[in-house]
Amino acid sequence: MFSWFRRRPAAVASGDWESILARNVWHYRFVPDEWRTRHGEVVARMVAERRWEGAGGLVLTDEMRVTVAGVAALMTLGYDDRYVYHDVPAIILYPGAFNARRQDGGWLDLLGGGGDSDVGSHRLGEAWRRGPIVLSWPDVIRSARRPGRGQNLVLHEFAHYVDGLNGDTDGIPMVTGAAARRWPAVVSREFDRLVAQARRGELTVLDQYGATNHAEFFAVSTECFFERPHEMRERHGELYGLMADFYRQDPSEWLPRLAPRRRVAQSMRAPMHVDVSGLGLNGADAAFAEGQALLSAGEFRAAAAALDRAIAADPNDAEALVLRAEARLGLGEFESARDDALAAIAIESDSVAAQVAAAEAFFELDDDTAADEHAAQARRLDAKEPAGWLYGGLVALNQERMREAKNLLKRAVALDPYDGDAHYWLATVCEKLGDSRSAARYYDRAELLAAAPDEADESEDSP
């Protein structure tokens, strides 16, 4: 497929780079041994040969370059040639979301940070044919480190680049022969299916942003292929087969099935309405009850809207603030979730749920110090709340405090034996400590919980 490969000598990534990859690219530890050298060579060449730029005041570091290259290299592992995205003119990183103004038919005028939303589009990434790949660094690192979400900014934008190599960014990459005849029919059918599911408000394996157009569908399919391959293969077998043929690899053979993290509500989902009239409630109480029901159903956007009304009627309702924080966590709106959690704590400092929401929000925002403080406070308030132990363990893992991380995560597993995340991260810690037998057991449990949570037997897990 990739006939434009070049062959050049390439240096293998250094030990420091390997530690960056292990820390920042969750896939890296699972890369098969026979592909390790290939992956390192692609990373080294991308860092050395591509043009890298910082924008919006961002000062580039090796960690940034290696992390982006480490994710992008995953897409090339099936090919014998060391493909390094030769025609990308530049990879530009911003310190956060950026604005892009449509000019002469394309998103060409990039404005660092903030800006007036009327003049452009607030974006986390951008890629177009013959243009640079532009990425928000915080969103790169957040999506690259977190398994199970099914979303990855680098994979998404590099997929757009690959899609456009045949001259059109139309959701059909450079394929020939039988594949070229199959792609349009399969993509059209799967795209229509995703659009229908999004309109009905169904939960889907593919990110419903892919229902925007065929180009976004290909980018979303690439994300899912490398992030949630087992589920994609089971629910979209024909599409998965096309992707496997195109990328010449099957990630379900080398990536574990992971318990998916909190699902983000999709933008195209039709609002769900809950009738609480039979409860005899009015005003803020009725809005609160509606928001609580919607949140339980996973309708995060609608839940947040209902809770907006409850909080507008009673700004000091700490419980409503906590629920809205949880809804916003579900939406991936971590800054807003943090603000709601802190507002709830200011009203009721002994709210365990508020402390947990704050710990999760700060953890997702990569503020380990604040996340650790709120997780510890949650444990002090209620030692039986598993999330306090989970987020404390994740912070300890981030900071390489492995023994402490193991103890905290074992407690989280004991308190909630059906939390696939806790099993996965405990397995990671055990592996780093050299306890491969325990690591294998916890990885197996995480995979089992992802496949069929009701079948999990909690008898193996003890503090």
Side-chain angles (χ1 to χ4, degrees):
M1 179 202 91
F2 289 142
S3 59
W4 51 91
F5 284 125
R6 300 179 191 173
R7 297 181 180 275
R8 294 185 192 171
V12 178
S14 68
D16 288 344
W17 286 13
E18 288 186 5
S19 67
I20 290 171
L21 292 168
R23 181 173 66 252
N24 289 351
V25 182
W26 77 264
H27 307 73
Y28 182 69
R29 64 170 300 278
F30 300 107
V31 172
D33 291 341
E34 62 268 25
W35 286 350
R36 284 276 173 162
T37 299
R38 180 180 306 172
H39 185 270
E41 290 176 354
V42 172
V43 171
R45 287 184 53 185
M46 283 188 68
V47 170
E49 297 177 13
R50 302 284 67 76
R51 195 176 95 221
W52 299 81
E53 298 180 10
L58 182 68
V59 178
L60 286 182
T61 64
D62 263 359
E63 179 175 21
M64 297 174 186
R65 299 181 184 92
V66 170
T67 300
V68 172
V71 176
L74 298 171
M75 297 167 61
T76 75
L77 291 179
Y79 295 91
D80 294 332
D81 297 271
R82 280 36 168 182
Y83 180 62
V84 292
Y85 304 97
H86 308 294
D87 296 329
V88 173
I91 300 169
I92 303 172
L93 299 181
Y94 274 81
F98 54 90
N99 283 341
R101 176 165 31 209
R102 187 170 292 278
Q103 176 177 307
D104 297 331
W107 291 100
L108 301 177
D109 184 12
L110 301 175
L111 312 172
D116 182 353
S117 61
D118 290 337
V119 302
S121 173
H122 205 51
R123 305 175 79 79
L124 304 180
E126 183 70 37
W128 59 91
R129 191 167 71 92
R130 297 184 180 178
I133 292 176
V134 189
L135 304 163
S136 161
W137 166 245
D139 294 279
V140 165
I141 194 71
R142 188 174 297 133
S143 62
R145 282 180 175 174
R146 307 281 192 261
R149 285 198 182 281
Q151 297 171 328
N152 186 298
L153 183 61
V154 174
L155 291 174
H156 187 100
E157 299 304 335
F158 274 79
H160 280 315
Y161 163 77
V162 169
D163 182 14
L165 285 172
N166 62 354
D168 295 305
T169 306
D170 57 1
I172 301 177
M174 186 175 288
V175 289
T176 58
R181 292 189 292 273
R182 290 180 60 209
W183 268 88
V186 173
V187 168
S188 293
R189 183 166 59 250
E190 290 281 4
F191 175 78
D192 291 344
R193 174 185 173 189
L194 184 62
V195 170
Q197 289 176 315
R199 288 174 176 169
R200 291 193 298 265
E202 298 176 6
L203 287 176
T204 56
V205 174
L206 295 169
D207 187 335
Q208 291 176 15
Y209 185 63
T212 305
N213 54 51
H214 283 198
E216 295 300 345
F217 183 81
F218 175 74
V220 160
S221 297
T222 295
E223 288 179 274
C224 194
F225 182 73
F226 287 102
E227 290 279 324
R228 299 172 67 180
H230 300 271
E231 292 168 280
M232 184 180 181
R233 185 184 61 186
E234 291 164 3
R235 301 188 195 182
H236 302 274
E238 194 171 9
L239 177 63
Y240 188 86
L242 286 180
M243 301 293 286
D245 289 343
F246 177 73
Y247 287 113
R248 298 184 188 176
Q249 59 173 299
D250 182 353
S252 70
E253 293 181 347
W254 57 275
L255 286 174
R257 181 196 294 269
L258 301 176
R261 295 178 64 85
R262 186 190 297 271
R263 293 194 180 207
V264 175
Q266 306 300 336
S267 60
M268 292 187 65
R269 175 177 294 177
M272 173 181 173
H273 298 287
V274 175
D275 184 4
V276 297
S277 59
L279 300 177
L281 302 174
N282 295 303
D285 290 337
F288 177 89
E290 181 183 347
Q292 189 174 42
L294 289 164
L295 183 62
S296 297
E299 297 285 342
F300 302 123
R301 183 72 63 191
L307 292 162
D308 286 344
R309 299 196 302 274
I311 293 166
D314 183 1
N316 292 315
D317 187 340
E319 194 172 1
L321 285 164
V322 171
L323 292 183
R324 191 171 69 177
E326 293 177 1
R328 287 173 165 176
L329 285 167
L331 292 165
E333 297 173 356
F334 302 122
E335 292 87 354
S336 297
R338 173 202 60 201
D339 295 344
D340 275 349
L342 293 178
I345 290 169
I347 298 167
E348 292 184 11
S349 60
D350 61 349
S351 169
V352 177
Q355 297 290 349
V356 166
E360 181 175 354
F362 278 114
F363 180 76
E364 294 289 357
L365 292 168
D366 297 317
D367 187 339
D368 283 349
T369 300
D372 204 21
E373 291 173 357
H374 288 286
Q377 183 63 9
R379 297 195 298 274
R380 285 190 289 269
L381 291 168
D382 184 358
K384 294 184 178 180
E385 168 53 58
W389 301 91
L390 172 63
Y391 286 102
L394 292 178
V395 170
L397 171 59
N398 275 354
Q399 298 180 350
E400 302 291 329
R401 306 193 314 265
M402 293 304 164
R403 293 291 176 186
E404 180 184 352
K406 182 177 180 180
N407 292 334
L408 289 164
L409 290 168
K410 285 190 73 174
R411 186 62 178 160
V413 164
L415 289 167
D416 185 359
Y418 297 100
D419 186 342
D421 277 350
H423 284 84
Y424 171 81
W425 291 116
L426 180 54
T428 300
V429 171
C430 288
E431 185 171 63
K432 288 179 178 291
L433 289 172
D435 185 357
S436 58
R437 183 176 179 180
S438 294
R441 186 172 82 252
Y442 288 117
Y443 278 129
D444 287 346
R445 180 54 57 85
E447 184 170 354
L448 174 63
L449 287 165
D454 293 339
E455 297 176 9
D457 176 10
E458 61 186 87
S459 61
E460 290 182 13
D461 299 308
S462 58

